Amino acid sequence: MGAERRGARGWAADTALFAVGVFLWLYLAADRMRIGLPDPPWLFELDQLAGLVGLGLLWLRRRWPTQAAVAAVVLSTFSETTAFPLLVLLFAVVVRRPLRTAAWVYAGALGAACVYAWLRPQELGLVGNVVFAVVLYGAVAGWGMFSRYRRALRARAAEQERDERERARQRAREELARELHDLLGHRLSLLSLHAGAMEYRADLSPEELAGAAGVVREQSRLAMRDLREVIAVLRAPIGELPQPSMADLRALVEEARPGSRIAFTSTVEGDAPERSGRTAYRIVQEALTNARKHAEGAPVAVTVSGGPGEGLLVEVVSGPGRDAGEGSGHGLIGLEERAALAGGRLEYGPTGDGGWRVGAWLPWTA
């Protein structure tokens, strides 16, 4: 543990300790003069000087607690007025320094107590003074251990809180990445499909070219709209991102229908739960995007069914077609995560005729 910075609260605490130390120094000096000076008398003056040095050592307990405590231990071999500074510095060493260092300082304090009892015998005697020192210093060390443990718990809790905030930020970044993938991947795949048709289909009529150009223009506009929406809420909580639902599923299919052969069947009983409906929308959206990329021109069948007690079933099957590009596989991995987070499961793989199937089951719960 390094040096501790002394803030306003630290200055207040150190000033209070210094004030208590001054009071005890004056009290012990007055009490010693009342009951009689030690033998030889000059030891009294040396004791008062050592007490003043001990009061100065109190101001070093945050920056150099071990050195200050060792100095107080040496002074305590003959000075009774350094008792309070020694207790404070012993506590500081236990709290701020390794336990091995604290043990050595504690042992040194006990040794100094033995020397003091031999130089200045009291009514308690040598054994009594040593037992008193063991109990007193042990109580201070125990209090320091308790404070050290509480500090460690607070530090651990603060570290866990920082880690949790970082994990939350990471989850937010991942969620945002998925939203960007879902929102823009769908639009850009449509753009690629119709732009490719305009480039390679020389037999298209002017009306068909105009229709394809219209789709490209419309999808470009929608892609820019989606991108603006995401940027607008980039600093907002993820829950504020635009979220689709089951009610938007038919519009999604109709949007993807130009230039594709898509059959859509929905036999859902009632209104699907919000979370499952949103997940179903994303599954169909990603599956249609993949179908355009890897099975261009192939027929696609989208089937959604289910109801309360049965769950929500989603299936997208595409036939064999011309592969229009390589994929990273991140989309399907993202769909698996979405389905798992919603409490469901996702399956995907090739069909017997060379096509591709994506199927999911989602619970009928919010």
Side-chain angles (χ1 to χ4, degrees):
M1 301 180 184
E4 180 181 339
R5 298 186 62 182
R6 185 187 289 116
R9 185 175 179 180
W11 277 106
D14 290 351
T15 303
L17 285 174
F18 182 76
V20 172
V22 171
F23 171 78
L24 292 176
W25 175 72
L26 293 173
Y27 175 81
L28 290 173
D31 186 63
R32 177 55 60 186
M33 288 187 291
R34 181 181 60 82
I35 65 177
L37 298 180
D39 186 29
W42 56 263
L43 186 58
F44 173 75
E45 298 176 356
L46 186 61
D47 192 346
Q48 304 314 302
L49 180 61
L52 290 176
V53 174
L55 291 175
L57 292 175
L58 288 176
W59 294 100
L60 305 179
R61 70 186 184 92
R62 296 180 185 273
R63 188 171 183 83
W64 297 297
T66 304
Q67 295 87 331
V70 170
V73 166
V74 173
L75 295 175
S76 69
T77 57
F78 64 88
S79 171
E80 62 182 356
T81 56
T82 58
F84 177 73
L86 176 59
L87 294 177
V88 174
L89 293 169
L90 178 60
F91 176 84
V93 171
V94 173
V95 171
R96 296 182 172 86
R97 291 296 180 261
L99 294 181
R100 178 177 296 182
T101 302
W104 280 109
V105 174
Y106 179 79
L110 292 180
C114 295
V115 175
Y116 178 88
W118 178 69
L119 292 176
R120 304 180 62 172
Q122 304 292 325
E123 55 273 8
L124 293 178
L126 177 61
V127 176
N129 275 304
V130 172
V131 171
F132 179 75
V134 169
V135 173
L136 182 60
Y137 296 160
V140 172
W143 185 19
M145 289 292 295
F146 175 72
S147 298
R148 183 189 185 101
Y149 176 71
R150 288 188 59 189
R151 284 188 172 203
L153 284 181
R154 288 197 295 267
R156 190 178 307 160
E159 183 178 357
Q160 290 176 348
E161 184 179 355
R162 288 193 298 270
D163 292 343
E164 180 57 34
R165 285 199 298 266
E166 180 58 32
R167 286 193 293 268
R169 285 193 290 267
Q170 182 62 32
R171 289 194 296 268
R173 288 192 290 265
E174 292 173 356
E175 181 66 18
L176 181 59
R178 283 195 292 265
E179 292 298 328
L180 285 170
H181 178 276
D182 292 340
L183 286 171
L184 298 181
H186 176 70
R187 306 291 185 197
L188 296 178
S189 65
L190 283 175
L191 284 174
S192 176
L193 174 66
H194 290 280
M198 295 170 63
E199 180 180 4
Y200 295 108
R201 292 288 303 278
D203 58 335
L204 291 179
S205 64
E207 292 79 10
E208 291 174 327
L209 281 174
V215 172
V216 170
R217 182 181 64 253
E218 178 63 16
Q219 293 303 317
S220 299
R221 184 187 67 81
L222 293 176
M224 290 300 298
R225 183 202 66 183
D226 293 341
L227 185 58
R228 282 193 296 268
E229 287 178 349
V230 173
I231 292 175
V233 295
L234 189 58
R235 298 182 181 274
I238 292 301
E240 296 182 13
L241 289 169
Q243 297 295 336
S245 65
M246 278 290 293
D248 303 311
L249 192 55
R250 186 174 294 276
L252 172 69
V253 174
E254 293 301 323
E255 183 181 87
R257 197 182 295 279
S260 302
R261 292 178 289 165
I262 302 177
F264 176 63
T265 304
S266 176
T267 57
V268 178
E269 300 176 6
D271 295 329
E274 179 182 354
R275 187 173 188 180
S276 295
R278 181 170 63 250
T279 304
Y281 180 97
R282 294 304 190 193
I283 290 173
V284 173
Q285 184 181 54
E286 178 65 19
L288 290 177
T289 300
N290 288 341
R292 284 191 294 271
K293 288 181 179 178
H294 306 294
E296 183 180 347
V300 181
V302 179
T303 306
V304 183
S305 62
E310 180 182 354
L312 191 61
L313 299 174
V314 181
E315 185 180 64
V316 181
V317 180
S318 60
R322 186 172 66 87
D323 196 329
E326 295 183 0
S328 63
H330 294 166
L332 291 174
I333 294 174
L335 290 186
E336 285 184 310
E337 293 177 355
R338 284 185 181 275
L341 289 174
R345 57 183 180 270
L346 182 80
E347 299 175 350
Y348 55 85
T351 61
D353 60 354
W356 190 265
R357 175 185 175 275
V358 176
W361 175 86
L362 303 168
W364 197 268
T365 53

